[in-house]
Amino acid sequence: MIRRDGSINVKIDRKTAKALHAQAKARGLSLKDYLQQLGAAGRNGKRTTGAISSSKELDDALDAFFAKHAEKLPALPKDSGRADIYNDHD
């Protein structure tokens, strides 16, 4: 909830809090200043680190993700094809 003075309370887990503190410190900022910068960047429509803005970036990100986690993906049958995906329409 946003208060009349514009302040808010946010509950986050310890791991996230530590990560935010570390990111603020790495930039030479207080946590408050760092969070204000993050909020301002969102309000102004600026890209944040890790944001995907094109289909090429999405393709690259998905390729990297699946390459990193390939052992967790189920193997497809050798005879699988388009008909297996779109079996209810052309």
Side-chain angles (χ1 to χ4, degrees), residues 57-74:
E57 286 182 17
L58 177 60
D59 287 344
D60 292 345
L62 289 172
D63 287 344
F65 175 81
F66 289 123
K68 184 176 180 180
H69 301 287
E71 72 283 351
K72 296 179 183 177
L73 298 173

Side-chain angles (χ1 to χ4, degrees), residues 13-87:
D13 59 60
R14 287 184 193 269
K15 183 178 177 182
T16 302
K18 286 181 180 182
L20 287 170
H21 277 283
Q23 291 172 15
K25 185 176 179 180
R27 289 167 175 76
L29 299 170
S30 68
L31 180 58
K32 179 181 176 182
D33 290 341
Y34 178 60
L35 292 174
Q36 286 176 335
Q37 280 187 0
L38 289 175
R43 268 195 321 271
N44 296 330
K46 294 180 184 172
R47 278 184 73 194
T48 57
T49 303
I52 294 174
S53 65
S54 71
S55 60
K56 168 103 171 78
E57 286 182 17
L58 177 60
D59 287 344
D60 292 345
L62 289 172
D63 287 344
F65 175 81
F66 289 123
K68 184 176 180 180
H69 301 287
E71 72 283 351
K72 296 179 183 177
L73 298 173
L76 292 174
K78 292 189 187 291
D79 62 347
S80 69
R82 181 177 167 79
D84 296 317
I85 298 170
Y86 300 104
N87 61 3

